[in-house]
Amino acid sequence: MLNLDETIEAIKLCKHIPESDVEEICSKAIELLIEEANIQHVDTPVTICGDIHGQLHDLITLFKTGGECPQTQYLFLGDFVDRGFYSLESFLLLLTLKVRYPDKITLIRGNHESRQITTVYGFYDECVRKYGSVNVWRYCCEVFDYLSLGAIVGGKGGVFSIHGGLSPDIDTIDQIRVLDRKQEVPHEGGMCDLLWSDPEYVPGWAISPRGAGFLFGENEVNRFLQVNDISLIARAHQLVMEGYKEMFNQGLVTVWSAPNYCYRCGNIASVLTIDDNLNRNYKVFKAASQDITAIPSKKPPVDYFI
């Protein structure tokens, strides 16, 4: 029988988690996620977090900054994996917390929670390096397909939370509720845009330099806020050197939670707490101080060929 509390502490110490335990954690997480809606309702107070990108030690700092789970309720806006050296541990820590405290942590999908992206940006290679097969990566990818696409914090007049941004195909939150989310992230369409789009000071919709999603401006944000009776769009997806950035008369905020992104960008990170009156409180934090020699090289010699 899996001891979740012991597993959480082992993951924080970067100890090797048996493959069978990873499979069980992923399976239990799917049992919970399958019951969740495309747009999850999240009560206040809640602390909203942006991209993590495999920076486990900084994720641990995040919990010290915002408050440990379950005393603090959390909403993570995706991009748990890739780029950092501890994608597996970061994702497993969040999944294990989800299984241990289902009502205290909400995980939504980012554009990196996809098979195609993780084979390019590090997560696939990390899983194979640490376990000698693709099994663990496959278990995690199956979880990706069940993650919600977004959340509403605080009900009417509250905060619409999404990884990327808006879509020209989607005017109302109800349209998101009926999407089929249990699939690999498509290359175009509403689901793709929610995970890939970015706000920009542009008139109307514009082509995104990312090659997926769109750029959208203030008019699109104001229209979406009004039509859907919400006061704020909270999203992640873009590096912000100051940790967070409000735009469009404070109608949208980007929250970024990976300090010193890629171990070299020098940025600070933040989390956003929404209280019962929908007031915003940002907490910023710096990268965890860790011995640089403890960071593994991207591709150490493989030793699992017998």
Side-chain angles (χ1 to χ4, degrees):
M1 187 68 184
L2 189 64
N3 185 314
L4 293 172
D5 292 328
E6 287 181 3
T7 302
I8 288 166
E9 294 310 310
I11 294 169
K12 287 180 179 178
L13 295 171
C14 286
K15 291 184 177 177
H16 183 82
I17 306 301
E19 185 177 310
S20 58
D21 288 359
V22 177
E23 183 178 16
E24 185 176 347
I25 291 165
C26 290
S27 177
K28 288 181 181 298
I30 287 173
E31 288 177 17
L32 294 168
L33 295 170
I34 201 169
E35 298 297 326
E36 296 189 350
N38 283 358
I39 300 292
Q40 268 296 95
H41 175 82
V42 178
D43 292 325
T44 54
V46 64
T47 296
I48 300 174
C49 311
D51 295 27
I52 302 300
H53 279 302
Q55 296 181 201
L56 176 71
H57 301 88
D58 298 316
L59 176 58
I60 293 169
T61 300
L62 181 156
F63 284 125
K64 290 176 181 173
T65 303
E68 297 293 340
C69 185
Q71 287 79 18
T72 301
Q73 182 187 198
Y74 280 96
L75 167 58
F76 283 85
L77 303 182
D79 278 13
F80 314 111
V81 299
D82 284 337
R83 301 204 185 268
F85 295 126
Y86 302 97
S87 288
L88 181 61
E89 290 84 358
S90 298
F91 189 48
L92 281 182
L93 177 57
L94 293 173
L95 283 188
T96 310
L97 287 168
K98 175 71 177 175
V99 173
R100 179 70 176 84
Y101 309 108
D103 300 327
K104 288 295 184 179
I105 186 165
T106 302
L107 308 174
I108 69 172
R109 193 171 190 172
N111 63 305
H112 278 262
E113 276 69 63
S114 111
R115 291 162 184 79
Q116 184 175 7
I117 298 295
T118 54
T119 54
V120 176
Y121 289 99
F123 183 50
Y124 173 88
D125 290 336
E126 180 184 322
C127 290
V128 172
R129 190 173 75 236
K130 289 175 177 175
Y131 284 85
S133 78
V134 300
N135 293 346
V136 163
W137 175 76
R138 284 184 175 145
Y139 301 148
C140 293
C141 288
E142 190 174 358
V143 178
F144 295 164
D145 291 343
Y146 288 90
L147 292 168
S148 294
L149 300 177
I152 294 283
V153 173
K156 282 197 178 299
V159 181
F160 175 64
S161 305
I162 198 79
H163 177 71
L166 303 181
S167 169
D169 292 347
I170 293 173
D171 298 314
T172 68
I173 292 170
D174 283 342
Q175 288 174 274
I176 305 173
R177 298 185 203 277
V178 297
L179 292 174
D180 176 16
R181 78 174 193 263
K182 296 180 183 69
Q183 57 172 313
E184 177 74 344
V185 180
H187 293 287
E188 57 186 12
M191 177 173 166
C192 169
D193 299 342
L194 295 170
L195 275 57
W196 279 94
S197 292
D198 295 299
E200 189 52 82
Y201 294 101
V202 294
W205 299 95
I207 298 296
S208 172
R210 294 182 186 266
F214 290 86
L215 301 178
F216 57 95
E218 184 168 12
N219 288 342
E220 285 62 46
V221 168
N222 289 340
R223 187 180 305 118
F224 194 87
L225 294 175
Q226 184 174 3
V227 167
N228 294 284
D229 191 13
I230 51 176
S231 58
L232 173 67
I233 297 170
R235 43 90 63 176
H237 192 45
Q238 278 179 300
L239 170 63
V240 181
M241 295 302 290
E242 299 80 22
Y244 67 93
K245 180 182 180 182
E246 293 186 329
M247 297 175 68
F248 308 144
N249 200 26
Q250 299 184 320
L252 178 144
V253 64
T254 300
V255 181
W256 184 264
S257 300
N260 195 27
Y261 180 43
C262 295
Y263 309 109
R264 58 181 161 78
C265 286
N267 60 288
I268 57 176
S270 79
V271 294
L272 164 60
T273 297
I274 305 291
D275 71 14
D276 288 336
N277 297 315
L278 298 178
N279 296 314
R280 310 172 197 178
N281 179 33
Y282 298 96
K283 292 181 181 176
V284 299
F285 61 99
K286 295 181 179 179
S289 56
Q290 60 192 84
D291 183 356
I292 197 72
T293 60
I295 297 177
S297 63
K298 276 284 187 189
K299 302 220 177 187
V302 283
D303 58 3
Y304 48 79
F305 292 107
I306 296 168

